[in-house]
Amino acid sequence: MLSVFRSIPTQMDYKGQKLAEQIFQGIILVSAVIGFIYGYITEQFGWTVYIVMAGFALSCLLTLPPWPMYRRNPLKWLPVQESGNEEKKAADRKPKRHSKS
């Protein structure tokens, strides 16, 4: 059962994060404007709140899961270096001494 959950991708690349943020803000803004106008026309503040909450729920559904459209530009990481070389290089380095002026 846990293998099913571990197979679900959980990462999102940087361009995907930017796209998700833009979609989230756009949906919230549009729902707030529509909710305000509809609430003003009907003179019911409750409708404004309901419409904004529906916009929030829709934006969460579209932006919180890492959909494939948010994973189109993966990062290319550097190859792994051997740890033995790093230890040798660290031992060869001399500490820097600062001269007093």
Side-chain angles (χ1 to χ4, degrees):
M1 184 69 177
L2 289 175
S3 63
V4 173
F5 291 116
R6 289 185 180 154
S7 67
I8 299 172
T10 58
Q11 72 277 3
M12 194 183 291
D13 59 48
Y14 290 117
K15 289 184 181 181
Q17 289 176 358
K18 182 179 179 182
L19 176 63
E21 180 70 22
Q22 290 172 341
I23 290 171
F24 183 80
Q25 289 180 356
I27 291 173
I28 293 294
L29 180 65
V30 168
S31 68
V33 169
I34 291 171
F36 178 77
I37 292 171
Y38 187 75
Y40 185 77
I41 290 171
T42 61
E43 297 179 3
Q44 294 289 322
F45 182 71
W47 279 106
T48 301
V49 173
Y50 293 144
I51 292 172
V52 171
M53 287 174 58
F56 177 75
L58 177 66
S59 64
C60 286
L61 180 67
L62 291 176
T63 60
L64 288 180
W67 299 109
M69 65 182 177
Y70 302 133
R71 293 183 278 124
R72 290 184 184 162
N73 303 303
L75 292 176
K76 295 181 181 177
W77 296 95
L78 294 174
V80 177
Q81 296 180 355
E82 295 180 21
S83 62
N85 292 341
E86 290 179 15
E87 291 173 7
K88 185 178 179 182
K89 288 179 183 177
D92 292 341
R93 292 185 196 140
K94 294 181 182 178
K96 293 183 181 178
R97 296 185 183 187
H98 298 285
S99 62
K100 295 182 180 179
S101 303

